[in-house]
């Protein structure tokens, strides 16, 4: 019988590592769990998590992103979006361990904003973010060098979405830019256009385009898409010179799946439905929606909605399900007919949380996320600039 050989997938931004087959240090894609995970079927998981958390007491602070599973969220000391959680961690200097139930870039931000004595732990290192992975520092530096060669770098202010790696935030800090969230993207762009005549927006093209066109009054023609996999981003020198918004070709694999057909279909199926979407959705979807806003905005809008109203929500499914269960007097549904969770968010499950907490109880620190001091310093500059936005 002929030998069957298997080789690792090419190390591109789309290749997936097989779990347990090593790591990819150039991206946020993860590695195998270095310990013995409890079985998901273990009936004692809830009791074990509660016991480990109680044993650690105030030494541990558990953060839960809104897109996490219910089985994990029940152990969160606080829930929120990525920036709120990083700030909550920084406001708890007494907590020796920050267990971040979210994805890798969020844990990095928590490490950047917390005291150096605090240790940030990600229960599963395979919990990355496909959007953050779409902008790698070397690619961004290559783009910037091209802008310098063209003589336009001095006019450009780089803006990176919170959903980016620490390396990218550090780059933006070094080049006098700013971090933004989906709540303050308009303020970040307004400030940026006071500093320069162009914005280089990373890594989410949709948030950049939606904010520029729908909130700032730019035309679609003012925006160009920089593809890091093509020479010079696939753009001519004139296109780059004339653009106001240079959008990085990145997107969220969850929010990017909603289409204009999803909106049409739900409007036909549910008369009077309100379509509420996140600005990471495609431009035509956001245009067709009734309301658009950040995760926190979506939660508040659903809480404030009158009883009996109907909502089709274009954001991550764990959150939509939780909101539907919390508000049985309102009809809250997922915008797409095909259900889809954020697969990397879902990497954090109860077995991984139990494992991480029990390791801490045993005096071992598992899966600590650290950002080197130089990168952290420059990333903090970009984050502080965001906090200082008028
Ligand atoms: S929902 Fe999208 S942006 Fe958020 S972690 Fe998942 S892939 Fe990344």
């Amino acid at each position: 019988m002929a030998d069957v050989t298997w080789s690792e997938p090419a190390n591109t931004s789309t290749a997936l590592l097989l779990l347990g087959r090593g790591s990819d240090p150039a991206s946020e894609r993860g590695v195998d769990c270095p310990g013995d995970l409890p079985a998901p079927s273990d009936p004692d998981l809830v009791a074990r998590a509660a016991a480990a958390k109680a044993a650690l007491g105030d030494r541990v602070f558990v953060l839960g992103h809104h897109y996490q599973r219910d089985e994990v969220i029940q152990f969160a000391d606080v829930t929120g979006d990525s920036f709120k959680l990083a700030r909550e961690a920084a406001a708890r200097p007494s907590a020796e361990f920050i267990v971040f139930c979210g994805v890798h870039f969020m844990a990095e931000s928590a490490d950047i904003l917390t005291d150096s004595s605090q240790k940030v732990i990600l229960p599963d290192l395979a919990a990355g973010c496909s959007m953050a992975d779409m902008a790698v520092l070397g690619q961004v530096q290559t783009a910037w060098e091209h802008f310098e060669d063209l003589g336009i770098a001095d006019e450009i202010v780089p803006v990176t979405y919170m959903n980016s790696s620490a390396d990218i935030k550090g780059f933006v800090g070094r080049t006098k830019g700013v971090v933004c969230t989906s709540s303050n993207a308009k303020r970040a762009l307004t400030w940026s256009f006071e500093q320069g005549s162009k914005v280089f927006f990373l890594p989410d093209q949709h948030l950049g385009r939606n904010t520029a066109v729908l909130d700032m009054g730019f035309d679609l023609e003012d925006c160009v898409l920089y593809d890091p996999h093509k020479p010079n981003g696939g753009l001519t020198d004139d296109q780059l010179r004339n653009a106001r918004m240079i959008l990085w070709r990145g997107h969220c694999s969850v929010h990017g799946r909603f289409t204009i057909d999803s909106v049409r279909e739900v409007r036909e199926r549910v008369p009077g439905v309100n379509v509420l979407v996140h600005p990471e959705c495609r431009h035509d979807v956001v245009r067709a929606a009734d309301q658009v806003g950040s995760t926190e905005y979506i939660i508040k809008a659903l809480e404030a909605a009158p009883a009996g109203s109907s909502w089709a929500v274009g954001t991550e499914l764990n959150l939509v399900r939780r909101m539907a269960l919390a508000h049985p007097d309102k009809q809250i549904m997922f915008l797409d007919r095909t259900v889809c969770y954020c697969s990397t968010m879902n990497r954090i499950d109860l077995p991984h949380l139990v494992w991480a907490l029990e390791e801490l109880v045993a005096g071992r620190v598992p899966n600590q996320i650290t950002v080197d001091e130089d990168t952290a310093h420059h990333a903090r500059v970009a984050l502080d600039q965001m906090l200082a936005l008028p």
Side-chain angles (χ1 to χ4, degrees):
M1 198 172 107
D3 280 350
V4 177
T5 54
W6 182 88
S7 54
E8 202 69 45
N11 189 12
T12 67
S13 61
T14 50
L16 287 175
L17 288 170
L18 294 190
L19 291 176
R21 292 270 190 158
S23 64
D24 175 4
S27 82
E28 295 203 323
R29 287 187 298 284
V31 296
D32 53 322
C33 177
D36 291 327
L37 279 183
S41 56
D42 183 339
D44 297 331
L45 284 179
V46 170
R48 285 172 63 176
K53 196 158 177 262
L56 291 162
D58 290 342
R59 294 175 67 207
V60 72
F61 191 51
V62 179
L63 304 173
H65 190 271
H66 288 307
Y67 299 169
Q68 289 285 297
R69 300 160 179 259
D70 289 349
E71 68 189 42
V72 167
I73 283 288
Q74 65 181 318
F75 292 104
D77 293 306
V78 63
T79 59
D81 61 15
S82 57
F83 186 59
K84 177 185 170 193
L85 292 178
R87 295 191 79 183
E88 289 276 356
R92 295 287 176 126
S94 60
E96 195 179 338
F97 307 118
I98 305 294
V99 175
F100 208 122
C101 299
V103 294
H104 190 267
F105 76 80
M106 299 177 185
E108 284 187 328
S109 297
D111 185 56
I112 289 165
L113 293 177
T114 49
D115 198 273
S116 59
S117 64
Q118 292 176 285
K119 297 180 173 60
V120 178
I121 290 135
L122 185 67
D124 185 348
L125 292 180
C129 163
S130 54
M131 179 200 287
D133 278 349
M134 288 175 197
V136 177
L137 181 60
Q139 297 171 326
V140 174
Q141 283 170 329
T142 300
W144 193 256
E145 282 160 17
H146 182 53
F147 302 156
E148 286 175 331
D149 290 345
L150 280 180
I152 59 172
D154 287 348
E155 312 167 38
I156 300 178
V157 178
V159 178
T160 192
Y161 189 21
M162 193 74 187
N163 300 17
S164 56
S165 67
D167 279 346
I168 301 300
K169 293 187 182 82
F171 167 85
V172 167
R174 283 188 191 92
T175 47
K176 300 188 172 56
V178 64
V179 175
C180 75
T181 67
S182 50
S183 308
N184 64 18
K186 181 181 177 187
R187 281 196 290 140
L189 286 192
T190 303
W191 174 83
S192 299
F193 280 111
E194 287 163 5
Q195 318 304 311
S197 60
K198 297 175 189 294
V199 161
F200 179 33
F201 196 93
L202 300 148
D204 183 15
Q205 57 168 302
H206 299 304
L207 178 64
R209 184 181 296 107
N210 289 331
T211 309
V213 175
L214 300 177
D215 294 342
M216 308 276 298
F218 285 98
D219 291 328
L220 280 174
E221 292 70 38
D222 293 321
C223 307
V224 292
L225 196 57
Y226 185 98
D227 184 343
H229 300 290
K230 291 185 178 165
N232 298 334
L235 297 167
T236 65
D237 293 354
D238 278 347
Q239 282 176 311
L240 283 166
R241 284 198 185 95
N242 294 334
R244 304 295 306 282
M245 287 288 290
I246 303 171
L247 304 168
W248 191 259
R249 193 182 188 109
H251 66 273
C252 167
S253 43
V254 173
H255 292 96
R257 66 177 287 108
F258 302 112
T259 64
I260 192 77
D261 287 341
S262 324
V263 178
R264 287 192 193 116
E265 190 275 332
V266 80
R267 288 202 192 282
E268 275 169 25
R269 189 161 46 90
V270 187
V273 70
N274 298 282
V275 177
L276 171 59
V277 302
H278 194 280
E280 288 172 23
C281 292
R282 300 176 198 195
H283 187 63
D284 54 351
V285 171
V286 169
R287 268 194 185 279
D290 298 300
Q291 292 186 43
V292 53
S294 65
T295 307
E296 296 285 347
Y297 176 95
I298 289 172
I299 292 170
K300 287 193 180 108
L302 293 175
E303 284 170 351
S309 55
S310 300
W311 296 82
V313 187
T315 191
E316 210 278 338
L317 183 55
N318 274 312
L319 175 62
V320 179
R321 277 189 55 241
R322 196 173 300 126
M323 293 306 290
L325 288 171
H327 300 283
D329 58 331
K330 305 164 197 179
Q331 191 186 10
I332 296 173
M333 67 205 86
F334 195 53
L335 176 57
D336 197 53
R337 266 191 183 272
T338 315
V339 296
C340 180
Y341 296 96
C342 172
S343 57
T344 47
M345 278 276 180
N346 263 343
R347 293 290 314 172
I348 311 287
D349 56 9
L350 198 46
H352 281 89
L353 180 60
V354 168
W355 171 75
L357 292 171
E358 289 183 348
E359 284 289 293
L360 292 174
V361 172
R364 296 182 289 268
V365 181
N367 292 3
Q368 185 179 352
I369 302 299
T370 52
V371 177
D372 71 81
E373 192 35 54
D374 184 55
T375 303
H377 167 77
H378 291 287
R380 227 177 276 122
V381 168
L383 286 161
D384 285 345
Q385 182 56 63
M386 174 177 78
L387 294 175
L389 286 173

